[in-house]
Amino acid sequence: MEQKIRIASGQGFWGDLPKAPVDQVKNGKIDYLMMDYLAEVTMSILQKQKTINPQLGYARDFVEVINQILPEISKEGVRVVSNAGGVNPVACKDAILKVAERAGFNEIKVAVVDGDNILNQIDTLQKQGHELTNMESGESIASVADQLLSANVYFGARPIVEALEQGADIVVTGRVSDPALCLAPLIHEFGWSYNDADKMAAGIIAGHILECGAQSSGGNYTDWEEVENFSNIGFPIVEAYNDGNFVVTKHDNTGGLVNLGTVKEQLLYEIGDPANYITPDCVADFTSIHLQEVGENRVKVTGIKGKPQTPFYKVSVSYNYGYKISSSLVYCWPDALKKAQVAKKILMDRAEALQLNFTDFRCEYIGFNGCSEQPVDDQYNELNEIQLRVSASAQNADDLNRFAREIAPLILTGPSAVTGYAGGRAKASSVIAYWPALIKKEACTPRVGIYQN
């Protein structure tokens, strides 16, 4: 049984720094590479891609990362755990095996963890008594049933542990809880009991610190001027021990910063009730955490307490919530702000004359304000330029597309001196809304498969 393992974060979201996971593998010793790609809106985007092309629906740049680190996976035993499978982990697995075969690494074993996608089971589940009511509003999911885009259960660490125990070098999952990507290797390596709530909580909190990539190693840090070399920022690494304690650090000779401040800020990120951070594996108590700087770029985390898991999984559902449009014009001095305000009135008048129906309409004056309309003072008439950003939402995309045809004509039919029209004619795009729900664990069973060339 291992006494210490090193788990490295290589991705905080889909679109994070491309070189980070490769650097984590090649710049020093690690045992596991954890890569988190998924957010709620990401699932709906991937589901749309899969609908168009059944071979899509996963984070395709993950496959390129794997291609670059195949030698370390094969020869140095680095294991990769990632939710890059999105809504199509089987296709992701196929793509990985293809690049492994091409590179001559046919011994690589890839596991797929799926079963989380319940989009096509909603009606059946409701008939079985699983209401999937909105956790915030209490509404029945029936009210949006014809607008659903994705529905995924957040599984925990168990199926990932099963995959590791079956010898997987790479574990590709659909929707699992983000910190489970870190907890699973700890359970596997240390033999922790699922009933040891304190150990489960320690793994969850370690995963929470890693899941957002460099946000715990200096990125997006309030005291950002303390951070050195953002250009080569080092992503965080957890050195974990069998007793549940761990140290947050990063590779030597990389930029970034790991100190009490960076770790605390990540600990506070998206946690709700800090004494009851609910996951599929346990309820973690963030108020029990003790932090201590034990060296340069080294923060020790101890004292973590937890409570037993709940009988529920969380379900992340996305659905269509109408459409939106946005466009912009730039007005220059003199009277830049006044021109932009007149342009707003012109657009509102024309929309009313066309009988277009909006659920929301907003104009922002970038250079004067960017979030809300402030009282106008004469001093603002001397601004060099104002970007008028026009946004509207509606249930009908046709209304928005018709409105888009009214914006560019302002160049010659409104106040003078429009100096910029950004992006061409805007086109209505979907607004995706989020529907959180709970489901009894016995209603959903994760699947684990092991594959090799």
Side-chain angles (χ1 to χ4, degrees):
M1 183 179 295
E2 293 290 336
Q3 295 304 308
K4 180 182 82 170
I5 61 170
R6 284 165 60 92
I7 303 175
S9 169
Q11 194 86 177
F13 63 95
W14 188 23
D16 205 352
L17 198 63
K19 68 190 287 288
V22 179
D23 287 347
Q24 288 287 67
V25 170
K26 295 183 181 292
N27 285 350
K29 168 66 177 172
I30 64 168
D31 300 292
Y32 287 85
L33 178 67
M34 163 186 163
M35 299 185 67
D36 178 17
Y37 283 89
L38 300 182
E40 286 72 22
V41 70
T42 311
M43 300 301 289
S44 63
I45 294 169
L46 292 172
Q47 186 65 52
K48 280 187 174 182
Q49 292 180 355
K50 185 182 178 185
T51 301
I52 296 169
N53 182 342
Q55 298 305 310
L56 301 181
Y58 63 92
R60 284 169 285 171
D61 44 349
F62 174 66
V63 179
E64 176 56 30
V65 170
I66 294 299
N67 190 38
Q68 294 181 67
I69 63 173
L70 282 169
E72 287 77 14
I73 294 173
S74 175
K75 298 172 184 176
E76 298 178 19
V78 174
R79 303 175 85 174
V80 182
V81 182
S82 177
N83 56 19
V87 299
N88 202 351
V90 172
C92 185
K93 172 266 298 181
D94 291 342
I96 291 170
L97 289 177
K98 187 176 295 184
V99 299
E101 181 180 28
R102 193 158 48 230
F105 293 98
N106 290 319
E107 74 282 4
I108 298 292
K109 292 182 180 180
V110 183
V112 169
V113 174
D114 62 2
D116 59 294
N117 189 344
I118 60 170
L119 181 62
N120 297 324
Q121 304 171 42
I122 299 296
D123 288 344
T124 301
L125 289 167
Q126 283 192 287
K127 290 174 183 176
Q128 294 173 349
H130 304 284
E131 295 296 329
L132 297 173
T133 53
N134 190 299
M135 293 170 62
E136 298 172 353
S137 68
E139 292 179 82
S140 168
I141 200 168
S143 63
V144 295
D146 60 343
Q147 303 166 57
L148 299 182
L149 295 173
S150 66
N152 295 82
V153 176
Y154 283 82
F155 289 136
R158 284 178 182 265
I160 305 174
V161 174
E162 181 181 339
L164 294 172
E165 289 175 349
Q166 292 186 41
D169 301 295
I170 303 166
V171 182
V172 178
T173 79
R175 201 47 167 132
V176 297
S177 74
D178 298 344
L181 301 170
C182 174
L183 172 60
L186 300 176
I187 296 171
H188 170 66
E189 295 286 349
F190 297 143
W192 288 350
S193 167
Y194 291 103
N195 296 320
D196 189 333
D198 291 347
K199 295 282 183 66
M200 296 298 101
I204 288 297
I205 289 171
H208 180 80
I209 291 171
L210 292 180
E211 70 186 38
C212 293
Q215 190 160 279
S216 60
S217 56
N220 198 27
Y221 182 40
T222 299
D223 296 325
W224 60 272
E225 290 183 296
E226 297 178 8
V227 181
E228 295 183 0
N229 194 5
F230 277 113
S231 302
N232 187 38
I233 192 167
F235 274 45
I237 298 170
V238 159
E239 292 180 357
Y241 297 85
N242 195 5
D243 60 4
N245 297 328
F246 58 89
V247 172
V248 185
T249 185
K250 63 183 185 68
H251 282 313
D252 294 337
N253 302 314
T254 60
L257 175 68
V258 177
N259 67 8
L260 291 177
T262 66
V263 175
K264 285 180 180 180
E265 286 196 5
Q266 175 58 29
L267 285 171
L268 292 172
Y269 180 72
E270 289 186 340
I271 62 168
D273 179 357
N276 295 283
Y277 183 73
I278 303 172
T279 77
D281 300 292
C282 69
V283 179
D285 181 1
F286 280 59
T287 68
S288 66
I289 299 170
H290 290 79
L291 302 178
Q292 179 186 5
E293 289 190 9
V294 293
E296 185 178 1
N297 293 308
R298 295 181 64 82
V299 173
K300 189 172 184 179
V301 185
T302 60
I304 296 170
K305 300 295 181 183
K307 303 168 192 174
Q309 61 184 274
T310 76
F312 297 98
Y313 287 128
K314 185 178 179 182
V315 183
S316 174
V317 180
S318 68
Y319 64 99
N320 273 319
Y321 192 67
Y323 302 87
K324 65 180 179 179
I325 200 167
S326 184
S327 188
S328 65
L329 295 164
V330 177
Y331 289 91
C332 73
W333 176 92
D335 301 323
L337 178 60
K338 190 178 295 183
K339 293 171 184 174
Q341 291 173 317
V342 170
K344 172 189 175 181
K345 185 177 186 308
I346 294 170
L347 290 173
M348 292 177 67
D349 290 345
R350 291 178 180 173
E352 183 178 357
L354 290 166
Q355 298 183 326
L356 303 179
N357 295 311
F358 300 148
T359 53
D360 193 19
F361 179 85
R362 177 183 294 274
C363 284
E364 298 160 311
Y365 308 110
I366 312 302
F368 167 61
N369 64 33
C371 298
S372 61
E373 297 184 34
Q374 303 292 336
V376 178
D377 187 286
D378 286 342
Q379 64 177 304
Y380 296 113
N381 291 329
E382 298 307 313
L383 292 169
N384 286 334
E385 63 181 18
I386 289 288
Q387 181 184 32
L388 172 65
R389 183 166 61 197
V390 183
S391 302
S393 60
Q395 291 301 308
N396 187 332
D398 289 340
D399 280 355
L400 294 175
N401 287 328
R402 177 62 186 87
F403 176 65
R405 295 167 60 188
E406 299 297 313
I407 299 172
L410 282 172
I411 297 170
L412 298 180
T413 64
S416 64
V418 175
T419 60
Y421 174 56
R425 181 185 294 170
K427 184 178 180 180
S429 60
S430 298
V431 175
I432 308 302
Y434 177 55
W435 186 281
L438 296 175
I439 193 169
K440 285 288 187 71
K441 285 182 175 175
E442 58 263 28
C444 308
T445 303
R447 297 187 297 259
V448 179
I450 303 291
Y451 305 88
Q452 188 177 9
N453 285 319

